[in-house]
Amino acid sequence: MRGALGPGRLRARGLRVRIVLGFAGVTLLVSVVLVATTFFLARNYLLDQREASLTRQAFADANVLNSRLATAGTEVGDVLGELVPSGGADVVVHADGSWYSSSLDVGARDVPTALSDIVAGGEAATVPIETAEGPALMVGVPLRAAGVEFYEAAPLTELRQVLRTLGAVLAAGAAAATAAGAAFGVWASRRTIQPLEQVAAAATRIAGGELTTRLPATDDPDLVAIVAGFNSMVDALAARIDRDARFVGDVSHELRSPLTTLVTSVEVLAARRDELSPRGQQALTMVEGELGRFRRTLDDLLQLARIDGDGALDHAAPVSMSELVREVLAHTGRPDVRFDAAPDADTTVRGDKTSLERAVRNLLDNADRHAGGSRAVHVERRDDTVVVTVDDEGPGVETEDRERIFERFARGPRAARRSLPGAGLGLAIVAETAARHGGAAWCSDAPGGGARFSLSLPGMPR
């Protein structure tokens, strides 16, 4: 059936729903068992009591009929007409091969053959029957002295109505118990899910850079170990990140001194380039290129160390991305790049202007180094998000490489084959900066060909 819930659909349900369904299912099962047990026990008890009462009544009426037939000259039909059974019962008598009845509704046709055979054998018996007015219990009593078979049929309609009412009450009780179980399941699921939601919220804040986030202390003995373990893990993670960032920063700072010395020495040599031999000039050009690459890599490492060390934004301020991109294009000398931007008020975000400027500059530099330059830059507002896109002139990025190129020290296959400059840190800084500001960075196909690199940031309310 299309509407049936298969195992996959059940597994797809949330933990809260499964807890509620579990409580409701268990309550329903227990209620059904109790209701069924109670109903059948009560039904059997009432039937036994009713059968015993009707049997006593039938024997009493049979004794009355027997005593009257003991009078000489008394006819069965006359005595039967004077007999008034209690409880609205009907009497059928078999005497001398003839059948007599106290009512037109019940007669010889209603006496089961099995019952008549037993009574004819000299024993009393009871059999449930169905009459035109509903269910009834027929009691057969042999009157040996009078040579008569006495049958009395008492209606069970009232008992059936009682059982129906009892069943309805028990079913309503089961439904109420199931609803109460489901309500308790809702309450229990909230109590159960709440610690998990706290852990998830804390983990989300930690992933966003708030390394000071910790789970609050709890008195629940079942959660003490979890809270302590989670907080210890975060402490170790924060210490490790701080140690790594400090190590990268220290190494980068230590490298600045020899790098400065090398740059100064190369500049002195470059001032006397004409005095060098052709091979010396060629070597000097290679050294200048590698020193430039080394310096850019060192600057990128220092920037990443600052991002790792700062964590969450502490000194954020409103920044217009349209104005920022316009300034970057003007300062870097890119007058030929087509620039489309929404009004400054619509593209305002809250963040660190220096970091955002570095991220935009990295996107433009990446297009220059690997894709023949930037073709167009767009800044637009999409709902509550400000998106900066850079379209390049290159062949595009393969789908399987679009996530990897934002990793640290990751370079595209074309850049690796062509030995293009760069250490693979520029786009990593873009991704880290976007994540630090609560946004994201990604790569896709540009409408006019090439690759489109996008940087999205949460926009401030307009």
Side-chain angles (χ1 to χ4, degrees), residues 26-41:
V26 171
T27 306
L28 178 60
L29 179 61
V30 173
S31 300
V32 169
V33 172
L34 290 178
V35 165
T37 303
T38 302
F39 179 79
F40 285 112
L41 289 177

Side-chain angles (χ1 to χ4, degrees), residues 6-17:
R9 289 279 299 279
L10 290 176
R11 285 195 297 269
R13 292 182 180 274
L15 178 59
R16 187 190 301 273
V17 176

Side-chain angles (χ1 to χ4, degrees), residues 411-450:
R411 304 177 67 198
R414 296 188 181 91
R417 288 195 299 267
R418 295 162 56 186
S419 299
L420 295 176
L425 295 176
L427 293 180
I429 292 176
V430 174
E432 298 275 356
T433 302
R436 185 179 173 218
H437 286 76
W442 67 92
C443 175
S444 60
D445 292 328

Side-chain angles (χ1 to χ4, degrees), residues 263-278:
V263 170
T264 302
S265 301
V266 170
E267 289 177 351
V268 172
L269 288 174
R272 297 179 176 270
R273 183 184 300 271
D274 296 337
E275 301 177 7
L276 299 176
S277 63

Side-chain angles (χ1 to χ4, degrees), residues 11 14 67 99 103 109 120 129 203 234 254 265 295 333 348 395:
R11 285 195 297 269
S67 62
W99 289 89
S103 171
R109 64 183 181 280
I129 63 173
V234 177
E254 290 298 327
S265 301
R295 183 162 51 186
T348 301

Side-chain angles (χ1 to χ4, degrees), residues 14 26 31 35 66 93 98 113 130 139-140 152 173 226 238 243 248 339 343 398:
V26 171
S31 300
V35 165
N66 189 38
V93 176
S98 300
T113 304
E130 286 289 337
V139 182
E152 183 170 310
I226 297 176
R243 185 168 60 251
V248 174
F339 177 57
E398 298 293 337

Side-chain angles (χ1 to χ4, degrees), residues 34-240:
L34 290 178
V35 165
T37 303
T38 302
F39 179 79
F40 285 112
L41 289 177
R43 175 179 176 274
N44 292 335
Y45 175 78
L46 292 176
L47 284 175
D48 291 342
Q49 293 296 314
R50 183 62 172 163
E51 182 177 353
S53 175
L54 294 179
T55 301
R56 288 193 300 269
Q57 174 185 320
F59 271 93
D61 293 337
N63 288 331
V64 171
L65 179 65
N66 189 38
S67 62
R68 292 184 179 181
L69 289 177
T71 304
T74 304
E75 296 292 335
V76 174
D78 298 336
V79 175
L80 187 60
E82 298 174 357
L83 184 65
V84 182
S86 59
D90 296 317
V91 176
V92 178
V93 176
H94 183 213
D96 299 329
S98 300
W99 289 89
Y100 303 90
S101 176
S102 63
S103 171
L104 297 177
D105 297 328
V106 179
R109 64 183 181 280
D110 297 308
V111 178
T113 304
L115 178 62
S116 63
D117 292 341
I118 295 174
V119 174
E123 296 181 4
T126 58
V127 174
I129 63 173
E130 286 289 337
T131 64
E133 297 181 354
L137 183 69
M138 180 166 284
V139 182
V141 180
L143 303 178
R144 298 178 181 177
V148 174
E149 298 174 9
F150 178 87
Y151 302 95
E152 183 170 310
L156 299 178
T157 306
E158 182 179 353
L159 179 59
R160 171 180 283 186
Q161 187 62 35
V162 170
L163 291 176
R164 287 179 177 175
T165 303
L166 177 62
V169 171
L170 293 176
T178 302
F184 183 76
V186 172
W187 176 82
S189 66
R190 290 177 179 173
R191 298 280 296 178
T192 303
I193 298 298
Q194 184 178 9
L196 299 180
E197 292 177 342
Q198 291 179 350
V199 172
T204 301
R205 291 196 297 271
I206 292 170
E210 300 180 23
L211 297 179
T212 58
T213 302
R214 298 294 184 274
L215 290 178
T218 179
D219 297 330
D220 192 331
D222 296 326
L223 298 178
V224 169
I226 297 176
V227 172
F230 182 87
N231 290 338
S232 298
M233 177 193 67
V234 177
D235 290 337
L237 177 63
R240 177 63 180 272

